[in-house]
Amino acid sequence: MKRIASAGIFASALLSAPAASAQDTLTSWDQYLSFLGQSCVLDTLGLQSKMMAGMMARHGAGMTERDDRDGMDFYDHPNGTTLELSATNEEVRCRVVIPPTALAPAGFESLHAGLAEEIGYKVSPDSLDTVTDDGSTEWVYDGTKDNRMTVRFSLLDDGGASIEAQSSLKR
């Protein structure tokens, strides 16, 4: 009960706060790293997680919801970045695509390094599986909610990047 009340208070605070101006958001790798932590790499399960991530995308990153179909929410940022979110009681999925024009090439390298560092802070090295191949890195580790986390960072052929995250109930 306490958890639901605190989530409601948090949501109310988000909704009453002024929305971020899209021009002031997602302009640097560190802003992307913060955005990913709030709206994509979610160590939770369930529909409420997707709803909170969507609110963070709208109010924290200045994104606009483009579509909501078949349990999937689609968001756009004026710089071309897209966010896709879906959730069930057993998993939360996210995909962010960052166009090559949103960051300088060094920004994509810094975002990759920052994401690896953030995950490294959360997970002990002996419980983290990391696979790197042809411009992509995948991290797999146990979450904190009896879930398994998978995060994949991929450089795209056009010079942009894709970040996919999934939190799934352990089986």
Side-chain angles (χ1 to χ4, degrees):
M1 186 71 170
K2 228 183 214 182
R3 188 172 181 207
I4 293 170
S6 64
I9 292 168
F10 181 68
S12 296
L14 271 177
L15 292 174
S16 63
S21 169
Q23 293 85 349
D24 298 332
T25 63
L26 304 184
T27 59
S28 65
W29 71 267
D30 55 337
Q31 287 178 335
Y32 271 102
L33 188 60
S34 177
F35 165 69
L36 290 171
Q38 296 170 351
S39 297
C40 189
V41 182
L42 306 172
D43 186 10
T44 60
L45 298 167
L47 184 58
Q48 184 178 1
S49 301
K50 179 180 88 163
M51 292 169 55
M52 294 299 288
M55 281 195 289
M56 291 304 296
R58 285 191 307 272
H59 296 283
M63 296 186 99
T64 304
E65 188 172 6
R66 170 176 29 101
D67 199 3
D68 177 0
R69 67 175 183 270
D70 300 327
M72 195 99 182
D73 296 348
F74 300 86
Y75 296 87
D76 295 322
H77 190 273
N79 73 5
T81 299
T82 61
L83 166 68
E84 300 172 8
L85 291 167
S86 68
T88 67
N89 288 335
E90 296 186 355
E91 76 176 358
V92 176
R93 290 179 177 258
C94 165
R95 182 168 192 251
V96 172
V97 175
I98 305 169
T101 55
L103 290 174
F108 287 105
E109 292 170 19
S110 296
L111 178 58
H112 179 264
L115 190 57
E117 187 174 333
E118 284 290 317
I119 291 170
Y121 285 142
K122 295 177 185 177
V123 182
S124 67
D126 58 327
S127 62
L128 177 65
D129 296 326
T130 304
V131 176
T132 302
D133 64 14
D134 294 334
S136 68
T137 303
E138 182 174 271
W139 300 273
V140 180
Y141 54 96
D142 288 336
T144 61
K145 310 282 190 272
D146 198 28
N147 59 321
R148 191 84 170 140
M149 297 289 302
T150 303
V151 180
R152 184 173 186 85
F153 178 98
S154 303
L155 293 174
L156 302 175
D157 290 340
D158 67 1
S162 169
I163 298 89
E164 297 175 71
Q166 177 180 356
S167 171
S168 299
L169 191 63
K170 286 184 187 176
R171 304 237 181 254

